[in-house]
């Protein structure tokens, strides 16, 4: 923090914060009038899938992980944390990179959010760049599978994943709160620490439940450290037959029982401070995170030989990613006390991301992504049955890549948007409408090609809009809803301007500066119903994607050493398949369903909340490129599973079986993947040691049958299978 304050540029960025905090403190002394009880009761409470709906959030299929469920599933990558959720898959790139794919949409179509603002790392640029988050620290992770592009822009055309750490406190805790956690096993260790507290005026306002603390300050601290050894697997790392089928020859030295250069380490921390008053809060947080991880040899292959390596011998030169990110966030929410204008929210963020791609410890390429983002949102109500929000969203991004693998030029991307989300409830019917208008400009600098020729790239401007409409009908203890949306996105920087070898994906990439807007028309039919102890929920969806952007293989190779394009390749280590970003009409359709049955009623003899439940669940997706008559590449395989959950006093146990069918529609120049079955289990005990001190101990088991799994969504599925059996022991202490 001291270094940031000493930086004049950083100090200038903090001036608006100082002004806002000063204003907030003044409001605390003379707060605006609170709405009367009559006005407060006039606003309806709308529930969606068991969650209280915000006026800034459209109806749509969502999943939220929190509490013990999130801590049991929290993994080293975001994709691995969410991979068992319906409609979500893990686009792994070795064990250290896992990006969420939502209903077949990934990369630049899925937006990762941290505290409501973009993650702004390099995860959308390339499959080998991870999301800079630590799932173990998160208070909640929410997956939006519906029309989230209305609020978050075209970068969320396929969905959004929102990670909430609570680093900017919105309320003042009544006392000191501490949480520490440690776990070990599965070839790694993890340590977490969270602390919250505050000082100031009375602890609560009046005696009403849920009232905000008033006239005080609240603070937050967190820190984490994670280490992982090389991933253990049940067989050979490279599927030589599959590689031979795909490229007609075998590359790389094989290893048995482990994936070489797949170890990782990460660390980070954050501090937040808020002033809390009757009308709301205003606060700031600063966070940093560092991660260093290796890529499997099949990713960055610089090997000149072949054959197999006996167990324990090094395979290829170690290529590693060393990434670092700093975030400065400011958030405020102020109740306006007006019958029409209810609450004003502000979020400003400055994010600085950098990573180096290291070969034998030497940096060959440096990527930078610097983003300033701002959102101003007004929540309002025109009538007792109406709610809504109006928003302004601004973003300024500067991207640069320097070095050997700088396949994308320095580019500045500016964007602005206005949006409105409105809802109306009449008895059992709820109608919701969302509108958003976007403007974006991309300005690249000249790019030097691998042949030493400087290429001038054109500036592109895009203007586009998004629309969403949802109708929900309450049916007894359930509901049925139909959602339709039309969302557009502008091509991302790598899709427009890529030019050169991209060793991470083993391709030579050509961008396409003539790309048009990609527009998706989506339909989702959702059914939720509860019949006593039996519950059912299902989604059926269809997406029509006009001008879907994808990478097309051109059927030729680039010989790196001789800098030549060739129709044939004699040695795969020295050749890269050539791809170009193109567009075609694509269709996606599928479903997600879960049936949950209460097996035993333990309420009579057990404590309140005791239960034994069995769930059956499954999802299926198919994506096709119409004009080419081909499958969309690297799509999730169909799967189904069963889950048995027991809650009994201080004990919580879960046994889960997930079966993925064979993927027989892998896409052009891709290979099929075999079916696989994985067993996961968890056992947790929670009890109080004394007043205010709570202890949880747990054991987590993943892939207990040590199944070999080749992930159909992974670029490296033929080089690096998913990790084998993993058993972790952990303990969590709360005060």
């Amino acid at each position: 923090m001291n270094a940031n304050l000493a930086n004049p540029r950083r100090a200038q960025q903090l001036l608006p914060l100082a002004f806002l905090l000063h204003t907030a403190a003044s409001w605390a002394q003379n707060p605006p009038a609170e709405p009367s009880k009559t006005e407060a009761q006039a606003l309806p409470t709308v529930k969606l899938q068991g969650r209280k709906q915000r006026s800034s959030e459209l109806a749509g299929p969502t999943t939220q992980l929190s509490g013990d469920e999130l801590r049991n599933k929290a993994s080293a990558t975001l994709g691995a944390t969410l991979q068992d959720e319906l409609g979500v898959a893990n686009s792994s790139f070795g064990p250290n990179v896992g990006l969420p794919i939502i209903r077949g949409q990934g990369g630049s179509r899925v937006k990762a959010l941290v505290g409501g603002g973009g993650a702004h790392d390099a995860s959308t640029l390339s499959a080998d760049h991870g999301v800079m988050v630590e799932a173990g620290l998160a208070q909640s992770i929410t997956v939006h599978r519906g029309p989230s592009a209305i609020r978050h822009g075209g970068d969320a055309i396929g969905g959004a994943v929102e990670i909430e750490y609570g680093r900017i406190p919105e309320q003042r805790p009544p006392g000191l709160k501490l949480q520490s956690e440690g776990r070990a096993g599965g070839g790694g260790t993890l340590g977490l620490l969270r602390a919250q507290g505050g000082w100031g005026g009375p602890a609560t306002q009046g005696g009403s439940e849920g009232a905000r603390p008033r006239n005080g300050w609240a603070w937050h601290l967190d820190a984490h450290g994670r280490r992982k050894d090389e991933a253990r697997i049940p067989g050979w790392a490279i599927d030589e037959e599959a590689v031979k089928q795909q490229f007609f020859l075998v590359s790389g030295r094989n290893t048995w029982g482990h994936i070489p250069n797949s170890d990782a380490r990460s660390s980070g921390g954050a501090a937040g401070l808020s002033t809390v008053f009757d009308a709301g809060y205003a606060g700031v947080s600063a966070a940093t995170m560092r991660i260093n991880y290796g890529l499997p040899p099949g990713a960055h292959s610089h090997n000149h030989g072949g054959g197999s390596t006996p167990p324990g011998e090094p395979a290829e030169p170690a290529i590693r990613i060393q990434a670092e990110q700093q975030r400065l966030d400011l958030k405020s929410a102020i109740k306006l006390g007006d019958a029409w204008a209810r609450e004003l929210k502000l979020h400003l963020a400055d994010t600085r991301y950098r990573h180096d791609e290291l070969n034998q410890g030497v940096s060959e390429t440096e990527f930078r992504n610097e983003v300033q983002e701002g959102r101003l949102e007004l929540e309002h109500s025109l009538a007792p049955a109406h709610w809504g929000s109006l928003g302004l969203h601004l973003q300024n991004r500067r991207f640069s890549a320097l070095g050997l693998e700088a396949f994308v030029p320095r580019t500045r991307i500016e964007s602005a948007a206005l949006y409105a989300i409105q809802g109306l409830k009449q008895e059992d019917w709820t109608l919701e409408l969302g509108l958003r208008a976007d403007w974006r400009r991309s300005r690249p600098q000249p790019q030097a090609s691998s042949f030493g020729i400087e290429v001038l790239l054109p500036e592109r401007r895009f203007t586009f809009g998004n629309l969403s409409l949802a109708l929900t009908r309450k049916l007894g203890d359930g509901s049925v809803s139909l959602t339709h949306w039309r969302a557009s996105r502008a091509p991302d920087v790598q899709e427009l301007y890529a030019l050169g070898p991209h060793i991470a994906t083993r391709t030579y990439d050509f961008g396409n500066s003539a790309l048009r807007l990609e527009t998706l028309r989506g339909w989702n039919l959702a059914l939720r119903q509860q019949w006593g102890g039996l519950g059912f929920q299902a989604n059926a969806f269809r997406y029509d994607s006009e001008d879907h952007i994808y990478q097309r293989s051109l059927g030729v190779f680039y010989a790196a050493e001789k800098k030549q394009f060739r129709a044939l390749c004699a040695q795969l280590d020295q050749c890269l398949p050539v791809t170009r970003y193109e567009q075609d009409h694509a269709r996606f359709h599928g479903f997600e369903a879960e049936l949950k049955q209460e097996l035993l009623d333990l309420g009579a003899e057990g404590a309140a909340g005791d239960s034994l439940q069995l769930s059956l669940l499954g999802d299926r997706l198919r994506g096709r490129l119409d004009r080419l008559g081909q499958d969309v590449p690297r799509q999730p395989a169909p799967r189904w599973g069963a889950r048995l959950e027991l809650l009994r006093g201080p004990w919580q146990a879960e046994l889960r079986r997930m079966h993925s069918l064979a993927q027989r529609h892998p896409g052009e120049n891709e290979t099929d993947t075999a079916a696989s079955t994985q067993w996961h289990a968890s056992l947790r005990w929670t009890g109080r040691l004394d007043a205010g001190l709570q202890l949880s101990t747990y054991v987590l088991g993943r892939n207990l049958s040590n199944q070999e799994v080749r992930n159909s969504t992974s670029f490296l599925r033929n080089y690096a299978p998913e990790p084998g059996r993993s058993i972790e022991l952990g303990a969590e202490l709360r005060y």
Side-chain angles (χ1 to χ4, degrees):
M1 291 291 291
N2 292 336
N4 289 334
L5 293 174
N7 187 323
R9 183 177 179 184
R10 222 30 165 183
Q12 291 176 359
Q13 295 168 350
L14 288 172
L15 287 177
L17 170 63
F19 175 76
L20 183 61
L21 291 177
H22 174 75
T23 304
S26 300
W27 278 50
Q29 302 300 323
N30 299 285
E34 287 286 328
S36 66
K37 290 186 177 181
T38 303
E39 292 173 335
Q41 292 170 353
L43 285 174
T45 299
V46 180
K47 289 185 180 280
L48 175 67
Q49 294 183 326
R51 296 173 55 231
K52 186 175 181 180
Q53 183 178 348
R54 302 191 304 264
S55 61
S56 59
E57 176 183 290
L58 271 175
T62 63
T63 299
Q64 186 177 77
L65 293 177
S66 60
D68 290 341
E69 183 181 14
L70 172 56
R71 289 190 286 274
N72 288 345
K73 293 182 177 180
S75 300
T77 70
L78 185 60
T81 300
L82 300 173
Q83 63 185 353
D84 288 338
E85 304 306 312
L86 290 177
V88 185
N90 176 25
S91 178
S92 59
F93 198 88
N96 298 317
V97 179
L99 307 177
I101 292 183
I102 302 176
R103 292 178 169 178
Q105 313 296 308
S108 298
R109 300 179 181 90
V110 172
K111 188 165 187 175
L113 301 154
V114 176
H120 299 313
D121 42 43
S123 58
T124 61
L125 182 72
S126 173
D128 65 325
H129 303 154
V131 184
M132 297 289 284
V133 299
E134 173 50 63
L137 277 174
Q139 290 182 340
S140 66
I141 300 179
T142 305
V143 179
H144 301 274
R145 297 190 294 265
S148 54
I150 296 300
R151 188 168 190 271
H152 302 300
D155 295 335
I157 189 173
V161 179
E162 192 168 357
I163 300 98
E164 182 55 64
Y165 292 114
R167 286 171 169 166
I168 298 180
E170 299 181 10
Q171 299 183 13
R172 183 168 62 82
L176 179 64
K177 291 186 176 181
L178 296 175
Q179 174 191 351
S180 62
E181 183 176 357
R183 67 172 66 172
T189 58
L190 171 66
L192 305 171
L193 177 64
R194 292 171 57 95
Q196 291 180 321
W199 70 92
T204 59
Q205 176 183 349
S208 61
E209 182 179 354
R212 290 179 182 270
R214 57 180 295 181
N215 301 340
W217 295 84
W219 56 267
H220 169 99
L221 294 172
D222 68 59
H224 84 274
R226 183 188 289 269
R227 297 185 68 91
K228 284 181 57 185
D229 299 331
E230 289 186 345
R232 310 302 299 180
I233 55 176
W236 291 103
I238 299 177
D239 185 343
E240 297 184 356
E241 289 301 319
V243 174
K244 189 179 300 184
Q245 176 186 343
Q246 186 174 13
F247 298 111
F248 307 108
L249 66 167
V250 176
S251 168
R253 296 174 179 169
N254 216 342
T255 57
W256 175 271
H258 72 107
I259 302 175
N261 195 42
S262 60
D263 60 304
R265 59 186 181 273
S266 67
S267 62
L273 178 66
S274 295
T275 177
V276 180
F277 41 91
D278 290 346
Y281 73 94
V284 64
S285 71
T288 184
M289 183 174 180
R290 298 178 179 85
I291 184 170
N292 183 293
Y293 61 89
L295 296 177
H300 278 255
S301 181
H302 298 277
N303 177 44
H304 298 278
S308 299
T309 299
E313 290 190 15
E316 297 183 5
I319 308 299
R320 304 189 67 83
I321 302 292
Q322 183 170 288
E324 182 176 354
Q325 185 185 63
Q326 287 87 34
R327 291 182 61 97
L328 182 65
D329 287 80
L330 180 151
K331 293 178 71 173
S332 178
I334 298 176
K335 292 182 179 180
L336 301 178
D338 189 272
W340 180 82
R342 312 298 296 183
E343 190 172 24
L344 186 65
K345 298 180 179 180
L346 174 69
H347 185 190
L348 303 176
D350 181 88
T351 306
R352 309 293 175 94
Y353 170 87
R354 166 186 172 174
H355 86 246
D356 293 277
E357 300 193 354
L358 309 176
N359 183 5
Q360 302 288 58
V362 178
S363 177
E364 292 186 335
T365 311
E366 177 187 291
F367 289 84
R368 288 181 179 268
N369 198 34
E370 299 181 356
V371 183
Q372 290 78 45
E373 182 179 16
R375 184 187 301 274
L376 183 66
E377 193 167 272
L378 173 66
E379 295 197 356
H380 63 275
S381 175
L382 300 178
H386 169 265
W387 71 94
S389 63
L390 302 172
L392 169 67
H393 186 200
L394 303 174
Q395 184 172 293
N396 179 43
R397 176 187 176 195
R398 294 182 299 276
F399 171 83
S400 63
L402 302 172
L404 183 63
E405 295 175 19
F407 70 103
V408 181
R410 293 185 180 183
T411 307
R412 181 165 185 170
I413 305 102
E414 301 162 316
S415 62
L418 292 170
Y419 63 90
I421 300 173
Q422 306 295 308
L424 184 65
K425 183 176 176 62
Q426 186 66 35
E427 295 181 349
D428 292 336
W429 292 90
T430 303
L431 178 67
E432 296 165 282
L433 172 67
L435 296 168
R436 179 176 168 120
D438 279 83
W439 173 86
R440 176 174 292 187
R441 178 172 66 174
S442 298
R443 295 185 290 170
Q445 293 186 7
Q447 169 77 331
S449 71
S450 55
F451 300 97
I453 302 173
E454 189 173 76
V455 180
L456 298 178
L457 299 167
E459 175 182 312
R460 294 297 311 273
R461 298 173 183 243
F462 298 93
T463 302
F464 52 99
N466 295 324
L467 165 69
S468 178
L469 187 66
L471 182 64
T472 303
R473 173 74 159 90
K474 189 177 185 303
L475 298 173
D477 292 331
S479 66
V480 60
S481 65
L482 180 64
T483 306
H484 173 62
W485 64 99
R486 181 185 177 92
S488 299
R489 78 171 182 97
D492 206 351
V493 57
Q494 75 279 5
E495 296 168 330
L496 288 171
Y497 304 126
L499 180 62
H502 188 191
I503 308 301
T505 55
R506 302 181 59 81
T507 57
Y508 188 101
D509 295 345
F510 282 101
N512 186 345
S513 58
L515 290 174
R516 302 175 297 278
L517 289 171
E518 177 180 296
T519 301
L520 183 146
R521 297 191 305 274
W523 294 88
N524 189 92
L525 179 63
L527 176 64
R528 308 284 182 270
Q529 195 55 254
Q530 188 76 32
W531 301 278
L534 178 64
F536 176 74
Q537 60 176 345
N539 291 293
F541 62 90
R542 178 185 176 90
Y543 296 167
D544 287 330
S545 182
E546 297 177 4
D547 296 320
H548 180 81
I549 300 173
Y550 71 102
Q551 280 184 283
R552 180 186 176 190
S553 175
L554 300 183
V556 297
F557 295 89
Y558 172 74
E561 287 190 350
K562 296 188 177 182
K563 297 185 178 181
Q564 295 177 348
F565 292 101
R566 297 177 175 177
L568 298 175
C569 177
Q571 191 174 4
L572 189 58
D573 289 336
Q574 300 303 312
C575 298
L576 301 174
V578 179
T579 70
R580 185 173 187 263
Y581 283 97
E582 296 189 358
Q583 293 182 288
D584 189 19
H585 187 276
R587 297 179 188 271
F588 300 84
H589 60 87
F591 71 87
E592 304 138 2
E594 181 176 12
L595 183 68
K596 182 178 291 188
Q597 173 65 54
E598 186 77 35
L599 296 180
L600 295 175
D601 184 5
L602 303 176
E605 56 186 81
D610 287 358
S611 66
L612 178 63
Q613 291 183 335
L614 174 66
S615 301
L616 302 177
L617 60 153
D619 55 18
R620 186 181 182 92
L621 170 74
R622 183 76 186 275
R624 293 282 291 173
L625 297 170
D626 284 350
R627 286 188 289 269
L628 295 177
Q630 299 173 359
D631 294 297
V632 177
R634 295 177 295 279
Q635 292 290 285
R639 60 183 177 173
W640 66 273
R643 181 172 61 233
L644 188 64
E645 299 172 279
L646 172 66
L647 297 176
R648 181 69 167 173
W651 295 94
Q652 176 188 356
E654 178 183 352
L655 179 64
R656 187 167 72 253
R657 180 187 189 270
M658 296 299 297
H659 177 76
S660 294
L661 279 66
Q663 177 56 278
R664 303 302 185 194
H665 306 283
E668 185 183 22
N669 295 325
E670 300 289 347
T671 55
D672 295 353
T673 55
S676 62
T677 301
Q678 297 187 72
W679 290 87
H680 312 296
S682 67
L683 179 63
R684 180 182 290 266
W685 176 88
T686 302
R688 291 196 176 276
L689 301 181
D690 56 27
L693 196 60
Q694 178 179 289
L695 174 67
S696 292
T697 59
Y698 57 87
V699 56
L700 306 175
R702 296 183 173 92
N703 194 8
L704 294 176
S705 59
N706 207 28
Q707 176 85 57
E708 180 180 290
V709 179
R710 300 283 176 174
N711 187 354
S712 63
T713 63
S714 173
F715 276 96
L716 295 184
R717 60 183 177 274
N718 296 329
Y719 293 87
E722 302 304 293
R725 181 186 298 113
S726 169
I727 298 177
E728 295 179 286
L729 300 175
E732 178 186 9
L733 192 63
R734 289 174 176 262
Y735 174 77

